[in-house]
Amino acid sequence: MGDCNNDDFRTYTSATSFVDDRRFSKHVHDNVHGNIYLDRLSLKFIDTEQFQRLRDLKQLGLTYMVYPGAVHSRFEHSLGVYWLASDAVNRLRTCQGRELGIESFDVQTVKLAGLLHDVGQGPFNHMFEREFLPRVRDGLKWSHEDMSLKMIDYIVDEHGIDIDSDCLKKVKEMIVASEEGNSVSSKEKQFLYDIVANGRNGIDVDKFDYIERDTRACGLGCNFQFQRLLETMRVIDNEICYRVKEYLTIHKLFSTRADLHRTVYMHPKVKAIELMVVDALIKANDHLQIASYIDEPAQYWMLDDTIVKRIETSTDRELEESRNLIRRIRRRDIYQFCNEFAVPKEKLEHFKNVTAQDITCSQNSDAHLNEEDVIVTNVKIDLASGRNNPLERISFFQDYDSFEKFPIKDDRISHLLPACYQDMIVRVYTRKSELVEAVSEAFENFQMKTYGKNTSTCNS
C-alpha cells in the first residue's frame, strides 16, 4: 500500500487527517490564497521535472501580450486548486464527515486530483489543443485531460512514487469527471467527483481559482466570492448543494467567467496573436516535429511555451517563415482585426460556423481576396450551460435544518438577470494589413446576404 494509507504519517487524534497535519507539510506563500501547505505525497509529484514544467506554461497563454500582468503559470494555478480542493473536502468532512463516511483516503485523493488536473496541459493555454493540433493531425481526438492521466502514470513509474493503486485510479477519474461520457452517477461518494472538475453543474474549485487568479493578474475587479460557497455548501443525496440565498453568488461565478472570456481570453488582439503563433507552429512542425510530442509522455513533458523562443532564435533555414511571424509579433505587426458581429438570438439554434470561404465568396467584384488572406473565428461565450440558465442544474437547500434539495426556476430569479445565456460572435481577420477594407466590405456583404442586415459591432 502507498502513502494514502501510510500509518507513519498519522496524527495522534482521529479527528484530524494525517494528510492535513502541517507538522509534516511544506508551506509556500501564494499571492491569492496566502500560505499553502503541501503534504508529503503531493510533494513527491511536485518535485519532479514533469510537474515543474508547469512553471513554463503561462496560465493565460499569449494574453500577457495585451494584459502585461497575465504572466502567472499553470504551476501557481495547480497549487491553488490543490489548496481549494483540500479546503472544500475538509469543510465537508468537518461538518458531515461521519454522516458521509469521508476518510483520510478521500481527502488525499481529492487533493491530488486538484494538484494534477492540469499536468497534461499543452503550450499557450488551450490554443495548442484547439487550434494547432486539429490542423496538423486531422481527425485526432486529443485532450489535455487525457494527457494528464498519461502523465500521472508516467510520473509514478518514472520516479517510483509509492501510491495506493485505488487512490491513483480515483484521482484520474476525478480529473476527467467533467468530460462528456465520463458519468460517475453510480459511484460511491459521487459528491467527491464534483469538487475539482464538476460535470454535473460546473461549480468547482478549478473555476474558483482561475477566476480569482486571472482577474487579479489582469487588473480587473472581481465581485464573485468563492469563499461564500465553500462556507455554505453541504451534501444532500450524494450531491453538493448550496444555500438558496447564495443563488446570486453562483450567478456571479458564471457571469464573471463569461466576462473573462469576452474581455480577456477572447480579446480580439489576443486572438490575432494566437492566430499568428498557430501559423508559426504549423510552418515549423515539419522541421521540429512538434505534434509528435503528444505521442509519448516521455517526450511531451519537454514541450512548453519556450518553443516560440526556440523558433525565434534558431538560424535553421527551414524555420525562416516561422521566425518571421514571431518577429512580426515582437514588432507589433500583427494580423489585423477587421470586424465582428453577434449572431442574432433567433439564429443561434441553427447557426453554422462561418468560414473564410463564406467571406471571400461575398467580396466585391473589384476585390481580389483569397481564402488564405482571411481568417474567421467563431467565438462562443456562455454561462457554462450552453443556451440554458446554469442555475437550473444546481440543487439548493433552504437552511441548515432542512434535508430537502430543490432547483430554482427562472420565474423565481431576479428579472434583471439575462433572458439569453449564450453569445456567438463571428470575427474576421486578415493576414495582410492592406486588405482590411476589402475584407471588411466582404464581411458586411456576407451579413446582408445571410441576415438581411449589417450587424457588425465595430470597425478596426
Side-chain angles (χ1 to χ4, degrees), residues 53 77 133 147 154 198-199 259 271 275 372 397 413 447:
R53 160 185 177 267
H77 169 62
L133 284 180
M147 179 53 77
Y154 176 75
N198 191 339
D259 287 343
K271 290 302 296 180
L275 292 168
E372 56 267 25
F397 62 91
I413 301 175
Q447 295 171 64

Side-chain angles (χ1 to χ4, degrees), residues 69-303:
V71 293
H72 54 300
S73 69
R74 289 279 168 187
F75 183 87
E76 299 155 59
H77 169 62
S78 295
L79 295 189
V81 177
Y82 159 91
W83 188 241
L84 292 183
S86 172
D87 190 12
V89 71
N90 275 306
R91 285 176 185 271
L92 291 176
R93 190 183 191 194
T94 299
C95 297
Q96 296 180 270
R98 185 170 298 179
E99 167 195 346
L100 301 173
I102 301 175
E103 302 170 352
S104 299
F105 174 91
D106 301 315
V107 175
Q108 181 72 85
T109 302
V110 171
K111 290 168 66 176
L112 280 176
L115 180 72
L116 301 173
H117 77 287
D118 266 351
V119 77
Q121 268 285 2
F124 309 112
N125 202 5
H126 297 287
M127 184 203 79
F128 180 81
E129 176 179 349
R130 298 172 184 173
E131 307 289 341
F132 169 69
L133 284 180
R135 290 177 61 182
V136 295
R137 290 281 191 93
D138 187 36
L140 175 71
K141 290 186 177 180
W142 187 92
S143 72
H144 74 270
E145 291 91 353
D146 290 338
M147 179 53 77
S148 290
L149 309 191
K150 295 177 182 178
M151 287 292 290
I152 291 169
D153 286 336
Y154 176 75
I155 292 171
V156 169
D157 294 340
E158 181 72 9
H159 299 277
I161 296 176
D162 183 23
I163 180 172
D164 177 71
S165 60
D166 193 35
C167 176
L168 186 63
K169 176 176 178 289
K170 290 182 182 297
V171 165
K172 293 192 289 185
E173 289 175 345
M174 288 178 182
I175 288 173
V176 296
S178 64
E179 287 193 319
E180 188 175 349
N182 287 315
S183 173
V184 293
S185 57
S186 61
K187 291 187 179 296
E188 183 186 11
K189 302 178 187 176
Q190 181 190 351
F191 62 90
L192 294 175
Y193 293 78
D194 295 339
I195 293 175
V196 173
N198 191 339
R200 181 156 27 188
N201 58 39
I203 302 177
D204 52 50
V205 296
D206 181 27
K207 288 186 182 66
F208 292 178
D209 184 83
Y210 77 65
I211 287 175
E212 180 74 19
R213 195 174 299 276
D214 295 354
T215 52
R216 286 194 185 199
C218 295
L220 305 176
C222 178
N223 61 359
F224 163 64
Q225 296 178 310
F226 66 82
Q227 297 88 347
R228 291 184 65 94
L229 298 185
L230 290 176
E231 290 168 1
T232 61
M233 66 182 180
R234 64 181 294 191
V235 175
I236 301 175
D237 294 338
N238 214 12
E239 179 182 6
I240 297 177
C241 306
Y242 300 90
R243 200 172 183 185
V244 69
K245 66 191 305 183
E246 298 301 334
Y247 77 91
L248 283 179
T249 303
I250 293 174
H251 186 272
K252 286 178 184 177
L253 161 66
F254 294 114
S255 62
T256 303
R257 173 184 173 275
D259 287 343
L260 279 169
H261 275 272
R262 184 183 297 277
T263 60
V264 177
Y265 310 151
M266 299 297 179
H267 188 287
K269 283 190 167 52
V270 171
K271 290 302 296 180
I273 294 168
E274 286 184 357
L275 292 168
M276 294 184 77
V277 172
V278 169
D279 281 353
L281 294 179
I282 290 171
K283 292 178 184 298
N285 188 57
D286 286 344
H287 183 61
L288 297 180
Q289 295 297 302
I290 300 169
S292 68
Y293 281 73
I294 69 172
D295 296 331
E296 293 293 337
Q299 293 295 315
Y300 185 72
W301 75 266
M302 301 178 189
L303 181 65

